[in-house]
Amino acid sequence: MRTFGKLTEVSATLVAGALCLTLAGCADESSSDGASGRSEAVKGDTVKIMVSGLDKVIYLPAVLTQRLGYFQDEGVTVKLLSEPAGVQATTALVSGDVQGVVGFYDHTLDLQAKGKQVQSVVQLARTPGEVEIVSTKAAAHVTSPRDFKGRKLGVTGLGSSTEFLTKYLAVKNGVKVGEITPVAVGAGQTFVSALEQGTIDGGMTTEPTVAQVLAKGLGKVLVDMRTPEGSRAALGGLYPASSLYMNSSWVQSHKETVQKLANAMVRTLKWMAGHTPEEIADKMPADYAKGGKDLYVRAIKNTLPMFTEDGVMPADGPRTVHTVLKSFDPGLKNASVDLEKTYTTEFVRKAG
């Protein structure tokens, strides 16, 4: 059942269960320096951050900050948890199970429309980093989003940012939301399997899944939003996506801790800007390169243009996101959204 524009109500039991599954079955990166092997606990602040897929390249700065030891340098202990879809990560934030989420900025607008004040404190990316893939089997009949009508299209989860963007591409190209069928297939191997089995005609995903799909000849790129140029062509402007967002009340009551997080993550963005994809890949966990080291390096190279170098929100980004979301969601179209309250540059401008 669709959930955009309506924050899914999940009982405390379900949320706790989801977090237990995350802790037991997903990657879990505690604050440590992967280069030096440091793993001792840091005394002081402890923050739990849910990442909408730890091994996704679009969220690479979160894990890299940890691997470089920058959280430790700031004296903050960070526990990174993984949840494959942004909507579940947002639920964990709103319910208070985590203090922050590394996910798409667009959730802050949706939440504000429902009376929840959440804001981006570090803007990691200026574009979505997403790619709409069409399966090789359907490629002859689906040559652009104009051909989405009647198609089953993969998204990470219902209510996720990939569903938001899929619906926008449909509406922008004359296809009604009700004429497409979003299918929750996750990312990575589950997305690849859905293409192989014909469960979906195409779908929206990120690196390194894109590189794996292309290497296996399972699909072709239909819409590429990994670069600023691609974002402008598909969405009409820069679309700030990957970010660290937190409850506004928590930010105001924990400014010192938020500043430490911003210092660490901005330092990582600057480090990334000065290093090669190969050097970045060498710092990441080896098991993230599921398709092989060469494919992983290529995935990082293709995604690097999306990241900011200073964590600052692009000037026109929030307006573009608002335009995209309200084009298909009546809840946002009729809501009064104060974009200034969905992000802050206070901490990143002080960082470094």
Side-chain angles (χ1 to χ4, degrees):
M1 183 177 65
R2 166 43 202 139
T3 62
F4 183 82
K6 180 178 181 181
L7 181 61
T8 306
E9 296 181 0
V10 182
S11 68
T13 300
L14 288 176
V15 172
L19 287 174
C20 287
L21 287 173
T22 297
L23 288 167
C26 298
D28 172 12
E29 292 284 334
S30 59
S31 187
S32 62
D33 185 340
S36 66
R38 270 187 310 175
S39 60
E40 67 270 16
V42 178
K43 294 181 179 180
D45 303 307
T46 299
V47 180
K48 287 188 291 184
I49 298 176
M50 186 73 80
V51 183
S52 303
L54 278 171
D55 59 352
K56 294 178 182 178
V57 179
I58 59 172
Y59 301 132
L60 179 149
V63 176
L64 183 58
T65 301
Q66 209 165 62
R67 303 283 288 184
L68 291 171
Y70 292 167
F71 287 132
Q72 285 190 319
D73 289 348
E74 291 293 328
V76 59
T77 300
V78 173
K79 187 79 169 180
L80 295 181
L81 307 174
S82 187
E83 176 58 60
V87 62
Q88 285 88 356
T90 298
T91 299
L93 176 68
V94 172
S95 63
D97 290 288
V98 297
Q99 288 73 55
V101 169
V102 171
F104 268 40
Y105 159 74
D106 51 22
H107 288 289
T108 68
L109 278 71
D110 181 33
L111 289 169
Q112 188 186 118
K114 299 306 164 199
K116 306 292 183 181
Q117 293 298 326
V118 175
Q119 60 186 169
S120 166
V121 296
V122 182
Q123 194 58 47
L124 302 173
R126 50 190 177 158
T127 75
E130 301 282 354
V131 175
E132 182 68 28
I133 295 284
V134 59
S135 73
T136 302
K137 298 175 183 177
H141 305 288
V142 182
T143 60
S144 82
R146 293 189 300 273
D147 303 317
F148 278 179
K149 184 177 180 178
R151 298 293 176 176
K152 295 180 179 180
L153 302 172
V155 297
T156 54
L158 300 185
S160 66
S161 296
T162 51
E163 186 187 11
F164 301 169
L165 292 173
T166 298
K167 287 183 173 179
Y168 175 72
L169 291 179
V171 171
K172 180 185 178 184
N173 288 276
V175 179
K176 297 177 182 179
V177 168
E179 294 177 325
I180 64 174
T181 303
V183 181
V185 294
Q189 188 53 48
T190 54
F191 184 94
V192 173
S193 296
L195 281 178
E196 287 178 321
Q197 297 167 10
T199 306
I200 56 176
D201 299 301
M204 191 168 291
T205 191
T206 60
E207 298 286 8
T209 308
V210 175
Q212 295 169 25
V213 168
L214 298 181
K216 292 186 175 184
L218 296 174
K220 299 180 179 180
V221 173
L222 197 66
V223 180
D224 192 340
M225 294 175 282
R226 290 175 291 188
T227 65
E229 296 77 17
S231 179
R232 292 188 180 99
L235 306 172
L238 293 180
Y239 191 97
S242 304
S243 66
L244 170 63
Y245 61 85
M246 315 179 89
N247 287 312
S248 300
S249 59
W250 198 90
V251 172
Q252 291 303 309
S253 60
H254 295 79
K255 283 195 170 186
E256 184 177 349
T257 300
V258 176
Q259 187 62 62
K260 292 176 181 179
L261 295 172
N263 290 346
M265 298 189 88
V266 170
R267 186 178 173 190
T268 296
L269 291 170
K270 293 181 182 298
W271 186 92
M272 289 169 61
H275 290 76
T276 66
E278 290 81 6
E279 291 171 327
I280 295 172
D282 286 341
K283 294 292 184 181
M284 299 299 288
D287 61 352
Y288 284 16
K290 295 180 178 65
K293 182 66 175 292
D294 291 342
L295 270 184
Y296 189 56
V297 169
R298 188 187 312 167
I300 292 174
K301 180 179 180 180
N302 290 338
T303 306
L304 279 178
M306 73 177 284
F307 295 113
T308 68
E309 295 184 14
D310 53 12
V312 176
M313 174 68 74
D316 294 331
R319 188 179 299 110
T320 300
V321 173
H322 191 213
T323 298
V324 167
L325 297 185
K326 70 181 182 179
S327 71
F328 63 85
D329 184 82
L332 267 170
K333 184 176 183 179
N334 301 320
S336 177
V337 176
D338 186 345
L339 295 177
E340 294 295 325
K341 292 182 179 180
T342 61
Y343 70 96
T344 176
T345 60
E346 174 185 351
F347 303 98
V348 293
R349 291 195 184 281
K350 293 178 182 178

